[in-house]
């Protein structure tokens, strides 16, 4: 009779485990970011009022976003956003070293991170020989005329993403 | 085994008795049961429950309504008469005498024909709030009594509303048009001024909040208090209570300032659907998941029984 | 220091260090339970399972609940019910579980009373069980405050007022309990602390103690029979399971518990999905309003019997009787003077005592929810309350008269 006992015990155990998986799924869902958090993950920014060489900082998904209208003498880069005849630098303003917020130095035309001395140029590329391992990250964006929608993926962003410019 | 079933029967009987006592029985003693009138607006309850001196006037009023309802309304003629209404009932109208006039885009679909007739004839009587308008106090819509006196004209206007303002209406529109000017619904993101927009700047948000407070002050002055937020009224009151209350507020809460709204069957259905949507949003998910969870535990119980039997078989 | 040899398996490694084999024997395979029992003996494990469910569902509610008078109501009714994935499920499970845990506690209690499982060495089982009842009551009450609806607020107001002690007029004590003149922010936050930390901690401690008190006197059986456990255990271990009067806790006793739990869970989840209003009072879906008392206020059903003892009397007498009723069950092992451990059906007058007590508590419960304005119901309530105390006064006398079996 022992085999029947074992079989029934295992059948019950297996079935209970199945229910356990269901319960774990519900728990996982309860732990997810709330729909309201996700719905708030889109920010619209008007580019037309930007001033050259003056850094604008906006907030998107709780993170600082850098937008810099580039002057003509700044080096052109594949990372730039081109709107009409203007070029913009757009990035998540967190140093790729350990996540501090770099400050923009308009006179030197570069970003300096005070935490560990990392530096980035006006295209967000990390300058060699310093702690940051990679350029500033670019948030997903979509261009609607002169309005920038952060959080949505437009063709310009897709191109950068495919080219491996940002992750 | 037999003995266990007997013991179970005793435990179950006491449990059921306990449940009966604290739920159905207790609630039947606490709340008087009120029957609806099947959304027929004939003034029956109004006449039955009014003070003696008003019986005659109410009887005459509802008899008139019945007479007008029997007239054949002319939709084309009614359109001209309807222009009288849109002077106040327009999109973006401001508060008038305590309440913002509702837009009438779906009035034909939302409200009952007899009720509309009664409303044009005498708003306070139709709403069964005539007890509020004594002395010099007049109903905010009271002027209509002087503006539309001809029975045939009333029949025409109502015919026009029922024919031309009766488009398909969503539950949310039904709620906004018939309840939303007095009742906020914060879970539905609306105040007495309608849906609350998103603001980028705190200053704009506060300015809007002040506008809402001002509107609420006007309503409070008119109603006596700010009507409750209806976000989860669906769970705070029963479905039956809400239906009979909306049909005739005086029946459940004597002396209340809440006017009768005169919802038709379609209107009531839509309004209740919206109240359920904001008040009990998990119902669809409950209904979808419930059978599966129960099925799981039924199978679990069967398996547990077989396991138990395999272990206990040799014990006796 | 103990000598450790190299272990050949993980089981052995653990056994060397924390004696898992002995632990398993003591707690499971050689924890002997009498064989002559019925499904009512499963209520302990059903309670443990329900408590587990309350903790798990409570964890997920705690992740989103906001103990602030301005946000508590909406965090429960909007955030958890609409936004959080399966938040509604945790809330319904928590609400229904909190109600059903008392149903099972009462069944468990009256089973103990019926079979005399509170005396002759089992006094501490009873007392620790009653302690658990009191702790669960405090846990339920503090939890009831958290949604901050009308019932939360007014229950908080009325119950804390009880501590003014009637004519003692100890309003300072009431304010101290509330941390304010009325139930407000300080009150909500401290009851939140009690509900999610102190009470659960004490309950867990009391459960361990309750289990501990069972080990030496052993679980009672259907006939109250006293037999030699060591002898019966030897018979079982020798394979003579038919002749033995005991079974091991695990897996044999547990298998029956699991089956009973299954039946219970079917009911539990039926209520969670389809009939939850009894555990989540509609009135509490109106936000707390300190300027308007609801037309009818009443406690949850499991407090109704003692609430009804409070109601029919004048303030001071009502309070004293209410206080006595809260602790009177603790004294059961000492008021019962009979030497017999046997089911009530074989115990002469005690048989009637048991059934009258049960029905009386049921009637008190019914009356506790009805409006106090109805004179018929008020009289029934008064008579039932008098009978309740008469029963406890009569208990030592009728049990003294009882013949030894």
């Amino acid at each position: 009779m022992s085999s029947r006992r074992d079989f029934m015990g295992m059948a019950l155990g297996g079935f209970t485990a199945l229910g356990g998986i269901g319960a774990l799924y519900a728990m996982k869902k309860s732990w997810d970011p709330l729909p309201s958090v996700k719905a708030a993950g889109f920010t619209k920014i008007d580019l037309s009022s930007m001033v050259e060489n003056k850094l604008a900082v906006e907030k998107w998904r709780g993170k600082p976003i850098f937008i810099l209208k580039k002057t003509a003498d700044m080096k052109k880069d594949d990372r730039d956003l081109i709107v009409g005849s203007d070029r913009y630098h757009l990035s998540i303003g967190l140093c790729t070293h350990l996540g501090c917020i770099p400050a923009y130095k308009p006179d030197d035309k570069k970003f300096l991170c005070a935490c560990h001395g990392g530096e980035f140029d006006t295209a967000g590329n990390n300058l060699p020989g310093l702690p940051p391992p990679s350029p500033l990250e670019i948030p997903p964006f979509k261009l609607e005329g002169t309005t920038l929608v952060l959080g949505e993926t437009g063709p310009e962003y897709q191109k950068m993403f495919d080219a491996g410019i940002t992750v | 085994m037999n003995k266990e079933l007997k013991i179970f029967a005793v435990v179950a009987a006491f449990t059921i008795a306990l449940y009966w006592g604290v739920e159905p029985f207790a609630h039947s003693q606490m709340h008087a049961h009120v029957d609806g009138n099947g959304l027929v607006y004939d003034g029956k309850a109004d006449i039955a429950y009014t003070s003696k001196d008003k019986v005659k006037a109410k009887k005459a009023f509802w008899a008139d309504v019945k007479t007008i309802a029997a007239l054949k309304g002319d939709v084309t003629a009614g359109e001209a008469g309807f222009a009288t209404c849109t002077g106040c009932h327009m999109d973006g109208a401001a508060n008038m005498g305590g309440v913002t006039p509702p837009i009438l885009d779906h009035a034909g679909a939302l409200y009952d024909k007899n009720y509309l007739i009664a409303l044009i004839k005498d708003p306070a009587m139709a709403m069964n709030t005539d007890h509020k308008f004594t002395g010099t106090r007049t109903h905010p819509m009271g002027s209509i009594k002087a503006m539309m006196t001809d029975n045939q004209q009333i029949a025409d206007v109502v015919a026009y509303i029922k024919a031309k303002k009766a488009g398909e209406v969503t539950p949310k529109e039904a709620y906004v048009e018939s309840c939303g000017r007095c009742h906020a619904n914060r879970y539905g993101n609306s105040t007495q001024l309608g849906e609350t927009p998103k603001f980028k700047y705190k200053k704009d948000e506060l300015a809007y909040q002040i506008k809402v407070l001002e509107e609420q002050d006007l309503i409070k002055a008119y109603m006596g208090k700010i009507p409750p937020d209806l976000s989860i009224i669906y769970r705070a009151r029963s479905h039956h209570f809400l239906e009979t209350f909306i049909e005739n507020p005086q029946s459940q809460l004597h002396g209340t300032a809440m006017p009768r709204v005169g919802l038709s069957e379609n209107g009531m259905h839509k309004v209740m659907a919206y109240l359920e949507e904001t008040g009990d949003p998990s119902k669809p998910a409950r209904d979808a998941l419930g059978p599966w969870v129960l099925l799981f535990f039924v199978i679990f119980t069967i398996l547990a029984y077989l396991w138990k039997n395999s272990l206990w078989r040799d014990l006796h | 220091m103990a000598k450790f040899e190299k272990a050949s398996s993980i089981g052995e490694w653990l056994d060397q260090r924390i004696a898992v084999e002995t632990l398993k024997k003591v707690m499971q395979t050689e924890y002997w339970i009498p064989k002559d029992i019925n499904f009512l003996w499963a209520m302990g494990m059903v309670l443990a399972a329900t408590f587990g469910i309350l903790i798990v569902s409570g964890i997920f509610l705690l992740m989103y609940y906001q103990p602030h008078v301005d946000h508590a109501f909406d965090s429960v009714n909007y955030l958890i019910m609409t936004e959080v994935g399966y938040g509604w499920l945790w809330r319904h499970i928590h609400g229904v579980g909190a109600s059903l845990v008392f149903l099972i506690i009462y069944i468990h209690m009256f089973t103990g009373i019926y079979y005399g499982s509170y005396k002759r060495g089992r006094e501490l089982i009873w007392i620790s069980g009653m302690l658990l009842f009191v702790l669960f009551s405090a846990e339920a009450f503090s939890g009831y405050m958290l949604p901050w609806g009308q019932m939360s607020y007014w229950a908080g107001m009325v119950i804390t007022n009880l501590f003014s002690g009637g004519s003692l007029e100890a309003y300072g004590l009431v304010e101290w309990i509330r941390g304010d003149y009325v139930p407000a922010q300080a009150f909500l936050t401290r009851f939140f602390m009690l509900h999610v930390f102190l009470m659960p901690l004490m309950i867990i401690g009391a459960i361990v103690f309750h289990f501990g008190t069972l080990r030496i006197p052993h679980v009672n059986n259907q006939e109250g029979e006293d037999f030699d456990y060591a002898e019966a255990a030897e018979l079982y271990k020798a394979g003579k399971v038919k002749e033995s009067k005991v079974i091991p806790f695990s897996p044999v006793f547990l298998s029956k518990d699991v089956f009973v739990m299954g039946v219970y869970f079917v009911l539990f989840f039926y209520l969670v999905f389809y009939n939850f209003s009894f555990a989540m009072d509609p009135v509490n879906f109106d936000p707390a309003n300190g300027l308007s008392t609801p037309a009818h206020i009443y406690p949850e059903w499991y407090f109704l019997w003692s609430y009804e003892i409070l109601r029919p009397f004048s303030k001071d007498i009502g309070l004293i009787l209410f206080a006595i009723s809260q602790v009177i069950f603790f004294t059961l092992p000492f008021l019962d003077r009979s030497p017999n451990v046997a089911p009530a059906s074989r115990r002469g007058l005690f048989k009637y005592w048991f059934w009258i007590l049960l029905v009386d508590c049921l009637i008190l419960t019914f009356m506790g929810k009805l409006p106090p304005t109805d004179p018929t119901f008020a009289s029934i309530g008064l008579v039932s309350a008098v009978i309740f105390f008469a029963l406890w006064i009569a208990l030592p006398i009728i049990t003294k008269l009882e013949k030894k079996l």
Side-chain angles (χ1 to χ4, degrees):
Chain A
M1 269 346 268
S2 154
S3 65
R4 179 175 160 78
R5 238 175 254 172
D6 292 348
F7 172 74
M8 283 323 303
M10 288 206 287
L12 179 66
F15 191 70
T16 310
L18 206 68
I21 292 169
L24 282 176
Y25 171 76
M27 291 176 193
K28 188 259 164 200
K29 290 300 243 186
S30 303
W31 203 284
D32 279 350
L34 298 180
S36 61
V37 171
K38 289 194 161 167
F42 303 93
T43 306
K44 281 189 177 175
I45 296 163
D46 181 22
L47 293 176
S48 60
S49 58
M50 297 282 166
V51 180
E52 282 187 357
N53 201 28
K54 189 173 171 230
L55 184 73
V57 182
E58 293 277 347
K59 205 168 147 189
W60 170 74
R61 295 188 182 170
K63 297 173 187 171
I65 296 296
F66 288 168
I67 304 152
L68 180 69
K69 189 169 180 183
K70 296 178 91 167
T71 55
D73 62 323
M74 286 178 187
K75 211 178 95 194
K76 287 177 183 160
D77 195 292
D78 288 345
R79 299 167 54 87
D80 292 346
L81 226 71
I82 303 159
V83 182
S85 56
D86 299 325
R87 279 178 171 263
Y88 295 86
H89 162 69
L90 167 71
S91 64
I92 297 176
L94 295 174
C95 180
T96 51
H97 179 220
L98 288 169
C100 293
I101 302 175
Y104 183 64
K105 304 285 173 192
D107 299 338
D108 305 337
K109 298 199 168 114
K110 66 182 181 190
F111 295 93
L112 170 70
C113 180
C115 288
H116 305 96
E119 290 181 6
F120 302 88
D121 66 13
T122 52
N125 293 306
N126 50 322
L127 300 183
L130 294 166
S134 56
L136 291 173
E137 280 170 26
I138 299 171
F141 66 88
K142 191 175 156 188
L143 275 170
E144 288 172 358
T146 58
T147 304
L148 187 62
V149 185
L150 296 179
E152 282 185 40
T153 300
E156 295 88 352
Y157 176 78
Q158 192 63 46
K159 222 171 97 187
M160 289 183 188
F161 186 84
D162 293 341
I165 288 172
T166 188
V167 283
Chain B
M1 192 63 223
N2 227 346
K3 195 173 169 190
E4 294 228 16
L5 282 179
K6 268 186 214 158
I7 297 169
F8 181 74
V10 172
V11 174
F14 271 97
T15 308
I16 291 167
L18 173 67
Y19 177 80
W20 173 82
V22 297
E23 278 296 301
F25 178 65
H27 286 291
S28 75
Q29 294 299 315
M30 276 187 276
H31 317 290
H33 182 81
V34 173
D35 281 316
N37 200 26
L39 297 174
V40 176
Y41 299 94
D42 54 8
K44 211 162 76 186
D46 306 27
I47 297 162
Y49 296 105
T50 193
S51 54
K52 244 185 197 161
D53 53 318
K54 281 192 181 161
V55 173
K56 219 174 137 189
K58 292 219 170 198
K59 270 190 178 163
F61 174 76
W62 286 102
D64 281 352
V65 171
K66 204 175 167 189
T67 317
I68 300 171
L71 296 174
K72 192 175 155 52
D74 180 348
V75 175
T76 329
E79 187 168 6
F82 186 70
T84 318
C85 308
T86 48
C88 299
H89 292 275
M90 55 186 178
D91 209 0
N95 191 300
M96 297 174 84
V99 65
T100 307
I103 52 167
L104 300 177
D105 291 357
H106 305 98
L110 289 174
Y111 309 115
D112 177 75
K113 178 186 157 191
N114 280 18
Y115 177 78
L116 287 171
I117 292 169
L119 188 72
I120 297 172
K121 191 141 178 59
D122 185 338
M125 285 286 232
M127 291 177 171
N128 203 12
T129 51
D130 48 302
H131 56 280
K132 268 170 53 183
F133 302 101
T134 49
T136 54
R137 203 167 173 210
T138 55
H139 191 281
M141 189 180 155
S143 56
I144 192 71
K145 281 197 282 187
M147 292 159 84
M148 216 174 276
T149 47
D150 180 54
N151 281 357
Q152 185 59 47
Q153 194 189 10
I154 294 174
D156 293 347
V157 169
V158 171
Y160 172 77
I161 293 173
K162 289 303 277 183
K164 300 290 180 188
K165 298 287 172 191
E168 190 57 32
V169 57
T170 65
K172 188 169 182 176
E173 286 168 337
Y175 171 84
V176 168
E177 288 174 30
S178 47
C179 322
R181 288 159 300 110
C182 295
H183 295 280
N185 185 322
R186 62 190 188 286
Y187 296 176
N189 189 35
S190 70
T191 66
Q192 285 81 354
L193 291 184
E195 191 160 321
T196 308
K198 275 201 166 62
F199 297 99
K200 187 163 180 178
Y201 301 105
K202 191 81 189 166
K203 213 173 88 181
D204 298 337
E205 192 180 339
L206 290 174
Y208 187 81
Q209 280 173 9
I210 288 173
K211 265 174 71 187
V212 172
L213 289 173
E214 282 168 354
E215 177 73 14
Q216 287 179 343
D217 279 347
L218 293 172
I219 295 168
K220 191 177 172 184
Y222 169 52
M223 301 293 286
K225 63 169 206 167
I226 298 173
D229 183 297
L230 298 184
S231 298
I232 50 167
I233 200 77
Y234 194 79
R235 283 194 78 160
R237 311 282 183 276
S238 72
H239 188 99
H240 178 81
F241 175 93
L242 287 173
E243 274 195 345
T244 46
F245 183 73
I246 296 170
E247 185 183 341
N248 184 13
Q250 303 298 333
S251 68
Q252 306 265 18
L253 200 60
H254 191 69
T256 180
M258 160 127 169
R260 171 158 52 209
V261 192
L263 290 177
S264 62
E265 206 180 309
N266 176 42
M268 180 67 83
H269 180 71
K270 294 282 166 66
V271 166
M272 294 301 291
Y274 187 70
L275 292 179
E276 183 172 348
E277 198 180 306
T278 63
D280 191 13
S282 65
K283 184 158 194 302
R286 280 203 312 269
D287 289 347
L289 185 61
W292 295 104
V293 173
L294 287 187
L295 181 69
F296 174 85
F297 280 107
V298 168
I299 297 176
F300 175 90
T301 308
I302 294 168
L303 288 175
Y305 182 72
L306 294 174
W307 181 49
K308 181 236 148 193
N309 265 5
S310 72
L311 283 165
W312 283 63
R313 173 182 311 242
D314 304 330
L315 295 180
H316 289 289
Chain C
M1 195 183 143
K3 253 184 165 175
F4 283 86
E5 281 169 28
K6 195 173 156 49
S8 59
S9 69
I10 296 175
E12 203 182 327
W13 191 88
L14 284 173
D15 194 37
Q16 288 169 345
R17 284 155 183 84
I18 51 168
V20 279
E21 283 304 317
T22 317
L23 214 60
K24 202 175 149 193
K25 272 189 189 170
V26 172
M27 313 273 276
Q28 300 187 348
T29 53
E30 291 185 19
Y31 177 11
W32 303 107
I33 309 281
K35 197 199 285 176
D36 184 21
I37 54 172
N38 58 51
F39 78 92
L40 291 170
W41 267 252
M43 292 306 135
M45 289 312 286
V46 169
L47 279 172
T50 312
F51 184 60
I53 285 178
L54 284 168
I55 287 189
V56 171
S57 55
I59 285 171
F60 288 93
L61 296 174
L62 183 52
M63 276 166 50
Y64 294 98
Y65 174 73
Q66 295 164 8
H68 186 287
V69 287
D70 291 338
H71 305 302
F73 186 84
D74 286 348
S75 74
V76 172
N77 288 306
Y78 182 73
L79 196 67
I80 289 171
M81 293 301 279
T82 358
E83 287 248 319
V84 179
Y86 294 98
W88 57 271
L89 182 61
W90 305 124
R91 186 183 180 203
H92 279 208
I93 286 177
H94 207 69
V96 167
S99 211
L100 283 191
V101 91
F102 278 92
L103 174 68
I104 307 298
I105 284 176
Y106 284 132
I107 295 176
H108 198 51
M109 267 174 73
F110 277 96
T111 303
I113 300 176
Y114 185 85
Y115 291 103
S117 315
Y118 49 84
K119 47 190 194 176
R120 288 244 305 272
R122 297 200 178 92
E123 293 87 350
L124 272 182
I125 307 178
W126 179 260
I127 290 169
S128 60
M130 280 310 299
L131 181 69
L132 273 168
F133 173 73
V134 171
L135 290 174
F136 265 102
S137 300
E139 176 70 349
F141 176 74
S142 56
Y144 199 59
M145 297 300 104
L146 303 188
W148 209 238
Q150 273 290 65
M151 279 296 200
S152 305
Y153 183 89
W154 289 101
M157 180 71 102
V158 170
I159 299 300
T160 48
N161 266 337
L162 291 179
F163 289 90
S164 66
S167 297
L168 295 177
E169 300 194 344
Y171 296 114
L173 176 63
V174 176
E175 279 165 24
W176 180 78
I177 291 169
R178 293 175 184 161
D180 203 326
Y181 302 106
V182 291
Q185 184 58 55
F187 174 86
L188 180 60
T189 326
R190 62 185 60 175
F191 275 78
F192 172 66
M193 178 284 291
L194 288 175
H195 185 72
V196 304
F197 179 69
L198 192 55
M199 285 302 148
L201 200 66
M202 289 171 78
I203 287 174
I204 291 167
I207 288 174
V208 172
F209 181 55
H210 191 53
F211 281 174
T213 57
L214 274 171
R215 198 64 176 79
I216 291 171
H218 283 284
V219 175
N220 194 10
N221 55 66
Q222 275 197 103
E223 295 303 322
E225 188 187 353
D226 200 7
F227 56 81
D228 187 340
Y229 268 82
E231 196 182 298
E234 284 314 314
L235 271 178
Y236 190 93
K237 281 200 275 191
K240 296 182 178 164
V241 292
K242 274 199 175 63
E243 291 79 18
S244 176
K245 287 182 173 173
V246 294
I247 49 170
F249 176 80
S250 172
V252 181
F253 175 71
L254 205 58
S255 70
K256 190 164 173 177
D257 278 0
V258 171
F259 163 61
V260 176
M261 269 183 226
V263 176
Y264 166 71
F265 283 143
V266 173
L267 171 74
F268 188 103
F269 283 96
Y270 163 73
L271 296 171
V272 163
F273 285 99
Y274 301 107
N275 194 353
F276 38 80
S277 301
F278 78 98
M280 303 166 84
D281 200 281
V283 182
N284 219 22
F285 285 85
D286 282 328
N289 180 355
L291 298 177
S292 154
T293 312
H296 303 285
I297 67 163
Y298 39 80
E300 287 290 274
W301 67 267
Y302 38 83
F303 294 142
L304 288 171
W305 67 269
S306 51
Y307 182 66
E308 182 58 21
I309 283 172
L310 180 73
R311 284 207 305 187
F313 303 99
S314 66
K315 196 174 176 187
D316 285 346
I317 297 171
L319 266 178
I320 292 166
L321 295 181
F322 174 73
I324 292 172
S325 76
Q326 294 301 302
V327 293
I328 193 81
F329 278 91
F330 274 100
T331 64
L332 179 63
F334 311 105
L335 291 183
D336 183 344
R337 309 305 303 162
S338 147
N340 300 324
V341 176
S345 60
R346 287 170 40 205
R347 285 185 56 191
L349 286 173
F350 184 80
K351 177 165 105 182
Y352 302 104
W353 187 89
F354 173 84
W355 290 109
I356 295 170
L357 178 72
L358 182 56
V359 172
D360 194 57
C361 285
L362 197 64
I363 292 173
L364 282 170
T365 301
F366 286 6
M367 297 307 132
K369 197 163 180 176
L370 298 175
T373 41
D374 187 303
T376 318
F377 295 142
S379 329
I380 296 175
L382 177 66
V383 171
S384 313
V386 170
I387 290 175
F388 182 84
F389 289 104
L391 282 170
W392 287 97
I393 293 166
L395 182 62
I397 303 162
I398 62 163
T399 46
K400 195 88 192 161
L401 294 173
E402 200 175 306
K403 278 197 213 91
K404 191 166 166 37
L405 292 170

